[in-house]
Amino acid sequence: MVKRKVGALEKLQADLPALQYKIRQDPSSYRDDFIRQYGLYESHREIFLQAPSSATEIGLTSFLDLVDFISHVAHCYPTVTAHFPSELLRILTSHHRHLDPELREKIVGSLVLLRRKNNIDSSTLLHAFFPILTSTESKSLRKLLFQKILSDLRTSNQKAKNHRLNRTVQTVLYNLLTSDRSSSEGVWAVKLTRELWKRQIWTDSKAVEIMKEACLADNEKAIVGGVRFFLGGDKEREEIGDESSDGETVDLGRLKHQIGINKKSKKKARAMENAVAQTKKKERQKRQPHPLNFSAFHLLHDPQSFAEALFSKHLQNTRSKLNLEQKLQVLQLVSRLVGLHKLTIISLYSYFLKHLTPRQPSVTSFLASLAQATHSLVPPDVLEPLVQKIANEFVSEAAASPVASAGLNAIREICFRQPLAMNDVLLQDLVMYRKSKDKGVMMAAKGLLSLYRDISPEMLKTRDRGKEAAMGLRNDKRRKPRFGEEATGEIEGLSLLERWKEEDAPKSTLEKGQSTEVAQDRSPGSADSNDDEDGWEVEEDDSDDSGGWIDVESDTDVYNDDSGHDGPPTKKHKLDSSEGNDHENKENKSIDDAGLEKRTSTLATSKILTPADFTKLKELRLEASMSKLLPLTQRRRFAQQQARLNRHPDDPLTATEIEGLADLSKKASKYDKIKLAKEGKVDRSEHKSNEAKRKEKKYSQGKGTTNKEKARKKNFLMTLGKAKGKQKRSLVEKGRILKAHVERGRRGGKRGNKGR
């Protein structure tokens, strides 16, 4: 059979990618060819719509190729393809259950491509995708639609926040949850909102309201998704932010060294340009201000009604379908809301009474939730029965050591948030457990003792108060807290910075060669700066504030002679700087020590603190801590104890922290001891010689070995020929080789790299 010759026009029609490339280069010249292909698409579409489920394989392939071709060049002919996006949407919405999977994915991808080329707007596309996402049974289609919706929202909010689109989508998701609370369609609203919140695309209160409605839904998956969002959504957002900032760093010095040594090529030059651009981009991102992202708890409109609705619907309701694990998550959310916003739900504390027994499954989670729901505005009469029951059920001689330590730790957390929940008799009884032989129980009892030494030492016996607490009671520095009293907040260690500015800053100024008066005159906001400009000298009444000057008066303050003139004025003698400072320190040390805790520092309200001030504040706090004098292992343990003691009452509390001291009751095996010892030596690097360290540093910079090192490692048999050749050289040949060697060294090697 003779092979038929194919004409040029038929080849062009058959080769759609080539036609697509030519249309992009010159749309006007190939307009007729595109119209011809578009007519072919319309005929294929009519044939396909007559029987979508029984289309032939050849017809599907040609229809798929035509859809792909037109979607890529539709922006070149907007008038011809005006109805093309609506036709694809109609096919997808009407026949998505019967479409071939490959054709269905191609139509979804073509619609997204048309959206990127602005042939269709985002709201129309998303309104078409949402019903299919919630109704289709195809798992692959649901996954594809979810990814496309998420990527479209990210693209729309990349340069600037698209508030109109965000409000539209948020309204759709909100209605999806509230229209039918028992439907599983609301799960997709939870997934989308949580993903967009994690990527910091949605950070407003409307997204929080969507998750609030999810927590109050009737579908179990929607409830769990909403509760987990509030309990861990902010942490996920911080983690993904750290991952994006901790990307792969490019070593520009290594790249420049490699380009200077290796062969030059356009590919390596482009890699260098991309590395420089990436480094500059990261530097710009570092210089940008940190976004102020509020927690989801702080964006709630009415936390009181939300907490009451959660508690009554999912915990108090006996018909609730949630299991114990899900109820514990809801309880953690309710207790977190109560503790953070200081809400009042009296029935919540009576709910805990029946669960506070060692036989209750996950009892440490109940204890953590109870401590988390405690705050300074909870009436002590409500908490006293709970503390008494924990002491009776958990803390006794017959209780196991882990149980007793968990009970004492829970009581300490409750009393840390509301000290008035404890009475004197029970406290003195619990403090006696510090003499227990079990280490976990002993540490838990000592933690409770140290807590009340700080907040209310008069509740302890005299022998248990300690030296500092006894002195504080004697000087009226420590008194029992009153119900509803709020402590004034300030920057931690600000009094240390204020004392350093008063005492040590003039010393450092004198060491630099400047007088104290000059330093005071240069300081911003000094009262003498304006007077010095006018040339007048003003003598202050209080000379103790002048930093090293004191007034010395004669035996007779003022005397008159026969002429009636006054005597000589008061003399000023300048003391040595060290003597003056020592004199002031001795006089004012007792006064400063007595009034340091009473007065609140006004440094933050009177001056603007600079970054240097905060750096110095960090150094002063470190110097004030005694942990720097301890060994490394004890320093870590001390840091953990300080972090446990300095934890803010608003911080979340987990069951692991309640069980923390119970691990000390277990006798550690040899394997555990070795593991603990290795954990304490994480910072210790592997022992290496100086030569090995130099080689490692050189390899990290992209540098290789020297010629001497290569020759040393070369096989001996390979060097025999060269050694024999050297012995046979004549005197003239040796001189020529030596001259060439000197010339090559002057030039900078074979490649002439000298000076680069």
Side-chain angles (χ1 to χ4, degrees):
M1 183 177 178
V2 181
K3 189 174 182 181
R4 187 175 68 86
K5 293 183 179 181
V6 182
L9 184 61
E10 293 180 0
K11 284 183 179 180
L12 185 62
Q13 291 176 351
D15 194 4
L16 291 178
L19 179 61
Q20 174 184 328
Y21 174 76
K22 292 177 180 179
I23 287 174
R24 285 180 175 177
Q25 299 297 323
D26 190 4
S28 59
S29 301
Y30 293 93
R31 182 182 178 84
D32 296 337
D33 297 329
F34 175 77
I35 292 175
R36 191 179 298 110
Q37 295 295 333
Y38 192 77
L40 187 61
Y41 152 75
E42 288 182 340
S43 61
H44 275 281
R45 180 175 58 82
E46 293 296 335
I47 296 172
F48 174 77
L49 289 177
Q50 290 179 2
S53 58
S54 60
T56 61
E57 184 178 355
I58 299 174
L60 281 175
T61 305
S62 58
F63 182 58
L64 189 145
D65 293 339
L66 287 169
V67 168
D68 188 26
F69 164 72
I70 295 173
S71 61
H72 277 86
V73 296
H75 63 284
C76 299
Y77 309 102
T79 56
V80 180
T81 60
H83 302 288
F84 178 68
S86 59
E87 292 170 356
L88 289 183
L89 287 174
R90 194 178 304 114
I91 293 173
L92 184 64
T93 53
S94 303
H95 308 286
H96 65 88
R97 291 186 179 86
H98 311 292
L99 286 178
D100 184 71
E102 188 177 358
L103 178 61
R104 190 169 55 196
E105 292 180 4
K106 179 60 69 176
I107 291 176
V108 172
S110 300
L111 286 170
V112 174
L113 183 62
L114 291 171
R115 159 68 192 93
R116 291 178 182 174
K117 297 181 182 296
N118 294 324
N119 290 79
I120 184 175
D121 58 335
S122 291
S123 59
T124 306
L125 181 67
L126 296 178
H127 275 293
F129 279 177
F130 274 120
I132 304 174
L133 176 66
T134 56
S135 61
T136 183
E137 298 177 357
S138 174
K139 187 176 180 180
S140 60
L141 181 59
R142 289 198 303 265
K143 184 178 179 181
L144 178 65
L145 290 176
F146 182 78
Q147 292 176 352
K148 297 300 180 182
I149 291 172
L150 191 62
S151 63
D152 184 66
L153 287 171
R154 288 181 63 186
T155 307
S156 302
N157 292 275
Q158 190 170 11
K159 294 182 179 179
K161 292 287 184 181
N162 192 343
H163 295 287
R164 185 176 181 182
L165 177 64
N166 291 339
R167 284 196 299 270
T168 304
V169 178
Q170 286 170 353
T171 305
V172 172
L173 298 181
Y174 187 85
N175 295 333
L176 198 64
L177 280 165
T178 55
S179 59
D180 188 4
R181 293 187 177 274
S182 59
S183 176
S184 60
E185 296 178 356
V187 179
W188 292 105
V190 174
K191 289 182 178 180
L192 271 173
T193 307
R194 188 171 183 177
E195 193 70 25
L196 292 169
W197 178 272
K198 183 171 69 175
R199 299 182 183 277
Q200 300 186 14
I201 299 172
W202 286 357
T203 56
D204 54 349
S205 59
K206 192 66 180 294
V208 179
E209 289 296 320
I210 294 173
M211 304 307 287
K212 175 182 173 182
E213 294 297 329
C215 293
L216 299 175
D218 295 331
N219 186 269
E220 296 179 11
K221 292 184 178 180
I223 295 170
V224 174
V227 171
R228 286 179 178 175
F229 166 78
F230 282 103
L231 294 177
D234 298 326
K235 187 176 180 181
E236 291 177 354
R237 184 171 60 179
E238 292 175 1
E239 288 176 355
I240 199 170
D242 295 339
E243 290 175 3
S244 60
S245 61
D246 297 341
E248 295 183 0
T249 56
V250 181
D251 191 357
L252 289 179
R254 181 175 181 177
L255 284 176
K256 288 180 181 179
H257 175 76
Q258 289 177 349
I259 289 176
I261 296 298
N262 299 333
K263 183 180 178 181
K264 314 295 185 296
S265 65
K266 292 183 178 179
K267 182 179 179 181
K268 293 180 180 178
R270 285 195 301 269
M272 185 65 188
E273 292 175 0
N274 294 335
V276 171
Q278 185 179 357
T279 305
K280 289 182 178 179
K281 183 180 178 181
K282 287 187 176 181
E283 290 295 330
R284 287 196 302 269
Q285 290 177 353
K286 287 181 181 179
R287 287 194 297 267
Q288 288 178 355
H290 190 274
L292 185 61
N293 293 327
F294 289 98
S295 173
F297 288 104
H298 295 95
L299 293 175
L300 283 169
H301 177 62
D302 188 5
Q304 176 73 37
S305 61
F306 178 46
E308 289 177 354
L310 274 175
F311 179 64
S312 61
K313 186 171 185 177
H314 300 309
L315 297 177
Q316 279 187 328
N317 189 9
T318 55
R319 298 181 181 179
S320 178
K321 298 179 181 179
L322 301 180
N323 54 28
L324 178 61
E325 183 181 358
Q326 295 168 350
K327 283 186 176 181
L328 277 174
Q329 291 178 354
V330 176
L331 183 61
Q332 289 176 8
L333 176 57
V334 174
S335 61
R336 187 91 174 88
L337 287 169
V338 171
L340 183 63
H341 294 281
K342 296 190 176 180
L343 310 178
T344 304
I345 305 178
I346 302 300
S347 56
L348 173 64
Y349 303 100
S350 60
Y351 173 80
F352 282 104
L353 276 173
K354 61 181 179 181
H355 299 289
L356 296 180
T357 57
R359 295 177 296 277
Q360 170 69 39
S362 304
V363 67
T364 52
S365 298
F366 283 99
L367 292 173
S369 300
L370 173 59
Q372 208 167 217
T374 306
H375 54 85
S376 59
L377 300 181
V378 179
D381 300 338
V382 178
L383 293 174
E384 279 186 12
L386 293 169
V387 174
Q388 189 69 44
K389 184 169 184 182
I390 294 174
N392 295 337
E393 293 283 345
F394 290 83
V395 188
S396 63
E397 296 293 338
S401 299
V403 175
S405 62
L408 284 169
N409 207 10
I411 292 174
R412 183 198 175 277
E413 293 294 339
I414 294 171
C415 297
F416 172 62
R417 291 162 172 80
Q418 177 54 283
L420 301 176
M422 178 71 69
N423 56 62
D424 302 353
V425 179
L426 181 59
L427 176 61
Q428 294 170 9
D429 185 22
L430 295 176
V431 163
M432 294 299 293
Y433 282 91
R434 73 185 188 278
K435 299 179 181 179
S436 174
K437 295 181 180 179
D438 186 78
K439 193 172 184 180
V441 179
M442 177 192 67
M443 293 295 292
K446 284 185 176 181
L448 184 63
L449 175 63
S450 62
L451 172 67
Y452 273 91
R453 278 179 176 175
D454 292 336
I455 58 177
S456 183
E458 67 272 5
M459 296 179 65
L460 297 168
K461 293 182 179 179
T462 307
R463 65 173 181 271
D464 296 334
R465 292 174 183 174
K467 181 179 178 181
E468 295 181 3
M471 292 176 64
L473 283 176
R474 194 176 300 119
N475 298 331
D476 294 334
K477 291 181 182 179
R478 299 187 182 183
R479 58 183 180 82
K480 187 175 181 180
R482 293 176 294 181
F483 177 70
E485 183 181 11
E486 294 290 340
T488 57
E490 62 176 4
I491 302 174
E492 182 183 356
L494 194 60
S495 58
L496 298 174
L497 181 63
E498 188 173 7
R499 174 178 282 187
W500 177 82
K501 283 183 175 292
E502 293 175 356
E503 298 178 0
D504 297 341
K507 291 182 182 179
S508 60
T509 309
L510 288 172
E511 289 174 0
K512 293 178 182 178
Q514 299 176 358
S515 64
T516 312
E517 292 179 350
V518 174
Q520 289 179 354
D521 292 340
R522 290 182 180 178
S523 63
S526 61
D528 299 338
S529 58
N530 296 330
D531 298 335
D532 292 340
E533 293 177 359
D534 298 334
W536 295 93
E537 182 179 356
V538 179
E539 184 178 343
E540 296 179 356
D541 296 335
D542 189 7
S543 61
D544 292 337
D545 298 336
S546 59
W549 291 92
I550 62 172
D551 292 335
V552 180
E553 298 180 355
S554 60
D555 295 334
T556 57
D557 295 335
V558 179
Y559 65 94
N560 298 325
D561 55 4
D562 297 337
S563 61
H565 296 289
D566 294 338
T570 304
K571 297 180 181 179
K572 283 188 176 181
H573 297 281
K574 187 171 182 180
L575 298 177
D576 185 63
S577 61
S578 60
E579 293 179 2
N581 289 329
D582 292 340
H583 178 72
E584 291 179 359
N585 291 337
K586 288 178 181 178
E587 289 183 353
N588 300 329
K589 185 177 180 181
S590 59
I591 301 174
D592 291 342
D593 292 341
L596 182 62
E597 296 183 3
K598 289 185 179 180
R599 63 187 179 93
T600 303
S601 177
T602 59
L603 186 63
T605 57
S606 59
K607 291 185 179 181
I608 298 176
L609 298 180
T610 61
D613 292 335
F614 283 107
T615 306
K616 188 63 183 177
L617 178 61
K618 188 176 180 180
E619 294 177 3
L620 293 172
R621 279 197 299 233
L622 184 62
E623 290 177 1
S625 175
M626 296 299 294
S627 61
K628 64 176 184 176
L629 303 176
L630 299 174
L632 183 62
T633 54
Q634 296 183 17
R635 201 182 306 166
R636 289 198 187 96
R637 193 177 303 167
F638 181 79
Q640 293 175 359
Q641 293 176 0
Q642 288 297 115
R644 193 184 304 116
L645 292 174
N646 297 333
R647 187 172 63 249
H648 197 270
D650 293 341
D651 294 341
L653 188 66
T654 59
T656 308
E657 296 174 356
I658 297 292
E659 299 171 356
L661 298 175
D663 297 336
L664 299 175
S665 303
K666 301 176 183 177
K667 190 175 181 180
S669 60
K670 184 178 179 181
Y671 174 76
D672 296 335
K673 291 179 181 178
I674 294 174
K675 185 179 179 181
L676 185 62
K678 288 182 178 180
E679 288 178 357
K681 301 175 182 178
V682 176
D683 299 336
R684 183 180 296 180
S685 59
E686 185 181 356
H687 175 72
K688 292 180 181 178
S689 63
N690 294 334
E691 186 67 25
K693 291 178 181 178
R694 282 196 294 269
K695 286 183 179 180
E696 185 178 359
K697 182 180 179 181
K698 189 166 61 174
Y699 293 154
S700 65
Q701 295 175 353
K703 301 177 181 179
T705 56
T706 61
N707 291 334
K708 289 184 179 180
E709 292 175 348
K710 291 176 181 176
R712 195 183 301 122
K713 294 181 180 180
K714 200 169 186 178
N715 190 2
F716 177 71
L717 296 176
M718 297 176 67
T719 61
L720 288 178
K722 188 174 183 180
K724 290 178 181 178
K726 284 184 178 181
Q727 294 175 359
K728 297 178 181 179
R729 289 176 185 170
S730 64
L731 187 62
V732 177
E733 190 175 2
K734 287 182 180 179
R736 182 177 56 81
I737 292 173
L738 182 61
K739 185 178 179 180
H741 175 72
V742 173
E743 179 66 22
R744 188 166 56 249
R746 185 185 61 80
R747 194 172 63 245
K750 291 182 179 180
R751 297 194 180 108
N753 293 325
K754 188 174 182 180
R756 291 191 177 182

